[in-house]
Amino acid sequence: MTLSAEALALYQDAVESLASNSPAWLAGLRRKALDRFATNGFPSPREEEWKYTNITAIERKGFAVATSMGEVDPAWIGSLLLPECWHLVLIDGHFARDLSHPALVGDVVFCDMEAAKLRHADLLAEGFGQAVDVDHGFIDFNTALFQGGALIRLNPGTRLEQPIQILHILTQAAAIPTRHLIQIGEEAEATVIESHAGVAAGLTAHVSEVLLGKNASLKHFIIQEDHQRAFHFGGLYVRQETGSRLAQTQFALGGFLARSEIHVTIGKDCETLLDGLHWANGRRHLDTHTRLVHAKPNGTSRENYKVIAEERGRSVFQGRIVVEPGAQKTDAAMNNRNLLLSDDAEVDSKPQLEIYADDVKCAHGVTIGQLDPDALFYLQTRGIDAESARQLLLYGFVNELIEAVDVEPLRGYLHRQLDRRFHAIPLEENP
Amino acid sequence: MTDTLLKIENLHACVEDKHILKGIDLTLDYGQVHAIMGPNGSGKSTLANVLAGRDGYEITEGRVWYRGHDLLAMPPEERAREGVFLAFQYPVEIPGVSNIYFLKAALNAIRKHRGESEVDAMDFILLVKEKMKRMQMDEQFLYRAINEGFSGGEKKRNEILQMLVLEPTLCLLDEIDSGLDIDALKIVAEGIEALRSPERGFLMVTHYQRLLDYVQPDVVHVFANGRIVKSGGPELARELETKGYGWIEHYLEAQAR
């Protein structure tokens, strides 16, 4: 949908002010992106990829881009920052220096986007836009208007012991476009956690780009706990070189309408693991769209998405796997397990396989159902009442995914969040 | 303890219009172990499940008295809290919920029902570890998800472990011996024997005599076609073992004549 003149004017000024503060190549990209956005607007439900997630509400809101940082309670921020991690905090897209650890330089570069423009312009220019393989309104909006973000760069062979946590806080009813560029050099290893939380009904419009060098390894987490009236778009675009490994896990727990897009271009001998949870309760609409392109031979990919849809919640999962000609010996499996727990909840699941090679293994499975009555009965025969038994099974459904998180501080955090949700039965962490 | 532990009167049960139990009468006293034997499909497991309160059975006739209370009127969790325990033929796997949490939640639910306080965390660990030792289970089982990835024998030992921790009054054992090798069978039998007491009763459903070599029953009932066709002492089980279930058919035919 074409943008109205008023809406466009709103963004034009912002882009010009950002462009004046960007290197020439980026200023050019911003202006081109805005032109495309002016013509196309945000994606329409008429487009196949957006069929189940109607974002006209976002368009109607006409969010202005946040120009300053809102006030936040430092104690609350403290509760969101994970121990034993290297922190970078963005409030309304602006770098919160006081709440962040010092930038890293050397074999590991980790800094906010402003610092990156000043000190690592070459790295930025080299990697920017290299992993994004789609073009739609949210990406154009982001490219034109992104302000804050982070640059992570690991030199070849570097192993980052401490996980990086980038915390995004949203405090105002405005659009917050942020962008990260993550470059992991050959044989290098890192863990990156992107956390999103907020106190206002704004719009997150985030893009992360990841370039994984030969035999590099990245553990990547997205913890989405936005405000219950907030809108969220989060795109993760990854390019994997030969022999690299990506393990991505997403917990979509918040927001009013949240769309997560994960696209991975998979090289030779690569491993790609995607896990995720949608907890669509209340009136929450959660959408995850994955697209894995097996571009070279001998890649392995596994996707496991679990969904709880209850009350008036809605979950959308679209999983597309493309096996390109020549990507022989690809081994891909995708699984989507949905618990549909109320009459008013809705689940849409759409696996799509496009296979252009003949020697491949490609499997997909979708289940939509209720809690296992045999398991409920089993718990009841041990004295646990029906409602607690139901809660315990839901707890187990989520906890299975949390137990698989091999970053201890994050696992601990998720356990505490889970226990809070199940306050009816106090749960304890396993030693 | 003036009331009988378990008194089943003319119990009829159907599943989806299929008549499975066709008039069961059985009285189990405190301190007794009764074995229920019979061919597949004779209704033995149905009886155990009906007593534990599984959904999907329609009780068309009859009553069940448990310590003087109407058992069939209680939801499954209330039966459990009142001391009824079913060891499952196929214990259910529950991913994401650790054994120890489950055991503690179960024990506390039962204690709360009795008006007792929650079990002390330290006491609980000690209690469970002692029982695990008896069942020859490694402590790591405590922190694994309920039955997930357990072998058949491990699942059955886990059932008896739960029974040892919860100390029920009426133990229903549904083919606890199926899928067990001889060593596991001995461990399971010892677990059962350890709980045998004058304050407690057992109803053991089994297909084979083997278990009864280790847990000597007071009474053996032979099921066929939804009825108890013969009751007797332990010697009845041995007779069945020697003659096979075909003997029951002949016995019934002879009776009919």
Side-chain angles (χ1 to χ4, degrees):
Chain A
M1 206 174 97
T2 311
L3 232 54
S4 70
E6 307 93 273
L8 186 59
L10 186 72
Y11 296 132
Q12 241 155 6
D13 292 346
V15 167
E16 281 317 311
S17 130
L18 285 163
S20 67
N21 193 18
S22 300
W25 62 267
L26 182 55
L29 285 181
R30 285 189 189 280
R31 292 195 183 100
K32 270 188 224 146
L34 184 69
D35 285 348
R36 281 193 304 272
F37 182 66
T39 316
N40 303 323
F42 287 118
S44 133
R46 281 189 303 276
E47 293 168 48
E48 188 59 27
E49 312 281 80
W50 294 84
K51 191 171 154 189
Y52 303 101
T53 295
N54 190 333
I55 47 107
T56 48
I58 295 176
E59 229 156 24
R60 264 205 314 273
K61 294 265 180 186
F63 288 112
V65 178
T67 52
S68 63
M69 205 187 290
E71 289 283 322
V72 283
D73 172 8
W76 177 58
I77 300 284
S79 73
L80 297 168
L81 289 171
L82 303 173
E84 300 155 47
C85 294
W86 204 262
H87 301 141
L88 190 149
V89 180
L90 297 167
I91 297 177
D92 299 327
H94 297 263
F95 176 49
R97 192 179 307 276
D98 298 349
L99 297 167
S100 305
H101 284 126
L104 300 174
V105 287
D107 277 339
V108 177
V109 170
F110 176 39
C111 64
D112 78 284
M113 207 33 106
E114 286 309 310
K117 278 194 264 180
L118 287 173
R119 295 190 206 103
H120 306 285
D122 50 333
L123 294 181
L124 206 54
E126 187 187 307
F128 193 92
Q130 296 304 302
V132 178
D133 64 339
V134 279
D135 190 11
H136 61 61
F138 280 105
I139 293 172
D140 288 332
F141 184 80
N142 179 280
T143 303
L145 292 157
F146 81 88
Q147 214 154 17
L151 171 71
I152 299 171
R153 153 78 178 217
L154 265 71
N155 277 342
T158 311
R159 190 160 166 228
L160 185 59
E161 297 284 347
Q162 208 168 18
I164 280 174
Q165 184 190 16
I166 305 171
L167 175 61
H168 307 71
I169 300 291
L170 190 154
T171 76
Q172 42 188 308
I176 317 291
T178 47
R179 187 139 178 162
H180 306 326
L181 174 60
I182 302 171
Q183 295 168 283
I184 312 292
E186 277 187 30
E187 313 269 345
E189 284 180 41
T191 298
V192 175
I193 300 159
E194 295 182 15
S195 309
H196 294 265
V199 291
L203 165 69
T204 294
H206 176 74
V207 169
S208 281
E209 291 191 77
V210 177
L211 299 167
L212 281 181
K214 264 170 79 176
N215 300 323
S217 173
L218 176 68
K219 283 181 205 162
H220 186 271
F221 297 90
I222 297 169
I223 314 299
Q224 191 272 99
E225 298 180 288
D226 277 329
H227 183 264
Q228 59 170 352
R229 305 289 304 161
F231 299 94
H232 182 109
F233 171 82
L236 171 67
Y237 307 92
V238 185
R239 244 183 48 201
Q240 285 188 254
E241 299 300 330
T242 303
S244 62
R245 183 174 191 274
L246 171 73
Q248 205 292 323
T249 304
Q250 156 181 254
F251 287 85
L253 307 169
F256 174 67
L257 190 163
R259 156 90 160 199
S260 164
E261 208 165 80
I262 300 177
H263 290 189
V264 188
T265 305
I266 302 168
K268 190 165 169 274
D269 301 328
C270 287
E271 193 177 18
T272 308
L273 310 171
L274 304 184
D275 288 307
L277 173 77
H278 282 181
W279 198 325
N281 55 354
R283 301 189 58 186
R284 184 165 290 131
H285 178 120
L286 298 171
D287 175 346
T288 290
H289 183 284
T290 66
R291 185 170 82 184
L292 304 186
V293 179
H294 283 271
K296 295 278 161 58
N298 211 31
T300 302
S301 65
R302 294 287 179 271
E303 288 179 77
N304 269 303
Y305 283 91
K306 299 175 90 172
V307 169
I308 297 172
E310 57 183 349
E311 293 157 1
R312 299 183 64 188
R314 187 163 174 204
S315 165
V316 178
F317 174 73
Q318 294 191 75
R320 172 179 279 194
I321 298 175
V322 181
V323 181
E324 291 192 340
Q328 302 294 12
K329 305 283 181 197
T330 288
D331 178 358
M334 174 167 55
N335 190 23
N336 176 216
R337 281 176 62 200
N338 299 273
L339 288 178
L340 185 57
L341 300 179
S342 90
D343 291 343
D344 296 321
E346 184 176 329
V347 161
D348 296 285
S349 181
K350 188 177 166 192
Q352 291 168 284
L353 306 182
E354 292 173 37
I355 303 170
Y356 304 105
D358 53 13
D359 185 12
V360 302
K361 273 199 276 186
C362 236
H364 69 88
V366 176
T367 58
I368 299 177
Q370 334 260 292
L371 293 169
D372 177 8
D374 288 338
L376 283 171
F377 176 61
Y378 189 64
L379 295 174
Q380 284 178 276
T381 63
R382 302 304 185 247
I384 298 168
D385 66 88
E387 181 50 29
S388 298
R390 194 181 155 273
Q391 296 287 316
L392 196 54
L393 291 184
L394 273 182
Y395 172 88
F397 187 77
V398 178
N399 191 41
E400 204 184 5
L401 202 56
I402 295 178
E403 289 288 328
V405 171
D406 55 0
V407 179
E408 201 284 316
L410 178 59
R411 190 172 62 245
Y413 173 82
L414 291 167
H415 268 142
R416 286 192 296 279
Q417 295 300 92
L418 186 63
D419 289 359
R420 261 182 28 197
R421 286 185 181 228
F422 287 96
H423 52 84
I425 34 172
L427 295 157
E428 65 203 72
E429 213 178 308
N430 296 341
Chain B
M1 278 193 221
T2 50
D3 291 306
T4 313
L5 177 57
L6 181 72
K7 196 164 172 30
I8 305 171
E9 297 172 347
N10 188 33
L11 185 65
H12 289 252
C14 298
V15 176
E16 291 164 359
D17 296 335
K18 198 168 168 232
H19 203 170
I20 311 258
L21 298 181
K22 300 173 180 169
I24 303 290
D25 291 284
L26 190 155
T27 301
L28 176 69
D29 275 320
Y30 287 97
Q32 283 190 322
V33 174
H34 286 208
I36 293 178
M37 302 186 72
N40 290 327
S42 59
K44 330 183 277 294
S45 286
T46 297
L47 178 64
N49 279 294
V50 164
L51 294 178
R54 189 189 281 273
D55 254 359
Y57 297 98
E58 195 196 340
I59 311 301
T60 50
E61 231 183 302
R63 305 291 292 269
V64 178
W65 303 101
Y66 169 69
R67 306 167 81 180
H69 301 287
D70 180 359
L71 184 70
L72 300 179
M74 303 179 196
E77 61 267 32
E78 197 183 329
R79 300 182 198 194
R81 291 169 187 178
E82 288 287 341
V84 179
F85 180 93
L86 171 66
F88 280 55
Q89 182 180 3
Y90 303 109
V92 183
E93 296 190 11
I94 304 183
V97 181
S98 70
N99 247 329
I100 185 160
Y101 177 70
F102 168 50
L103 270 172
K104 200 171 168 188
L107 183 60
N108 279 334
I110 291 167
R111 287 176 67 100
K112 193 176 163 199
H113 183 74
R114 292 193 201 131
E116 296 168 6
S117 63
E118 288 203 350
V119 62
D120 172 79
M122 209 55 214
D123 292 348
F124 175 71
I125 287 282
L126 289 174
L127 170 79
V128 173
K129 286 188 175 170
E130 178 214 318
K131 308 291 185 193
M132 288 188 96
K133 211 178 237 170
R134 182 185 290 283
M135 295 314 293
Q136 298 185 26
M137 290 171 79
D138 192 289
E139 283 176 18
Q140 53 117 348
F141 279 102
L142 281 179
Y143 305 105
R144 282 174 58 181
I146 304 168
N147 294 322
E148 196 188 32
F150 288 26
S151 71
E154 286 163 352
K155 284 181 183 170
K156 294 300 177 76
R157 275 193 268 171
N158 201 26
E159 293 293 283
I160 301 300
L161 172 70
Q162 292 167 31
M163 192 170 85
L164 290 173
V165 170
L166 301 179
E167 298 185 320
T169 306
L170 173 62
C171 306
L172 309 166
L173 308 174
D174 187 7
E175 303 208 15
I176 195 71
D177 50 340
S178 67
L180 293 184
D181 63 27
I182 194 72
D183 293 332
L185 182 69
K186 275 186 193 165
I187 295 165
V188 162
E190 281 164 20
I192 298 168
E193 279 294 334
L195 270 191
R196 215 167 162 164
S197 93
E199 288 84 43
R200 188 171 283 130
F202 291 81
L203 197 59
M204 299 194 304
V205 170
T206 177
H207 195 74
Y208 302 103
Q209 146 75 21
R210 211 172 55 148
L211 174 68
L212 309 184
D213 289 339
Y214 300 96
V215 184
Q216 173 93 255
D218 301 297
V219 181
V220 174
H221 305 280
V222 180
F223 263 49
N225 193 22
R227 293 190 181 87
I228 296 177
V229 292
K230 202 167 175 12
S231 299
E235 71 287 347
L236 183 55
R238 281 189 289 275
E239 201 175 342
L240 265 180
E241 184 76 1
T242 330
K243 298 181 178 169
Y245 285 116
W247 168 67
I248 289 297
E249 311 288 323
H250 295 304
Y251 174 85
L252 287 175
E253 279 167 27
Q255 268 203 331
R257 259 184 253 126

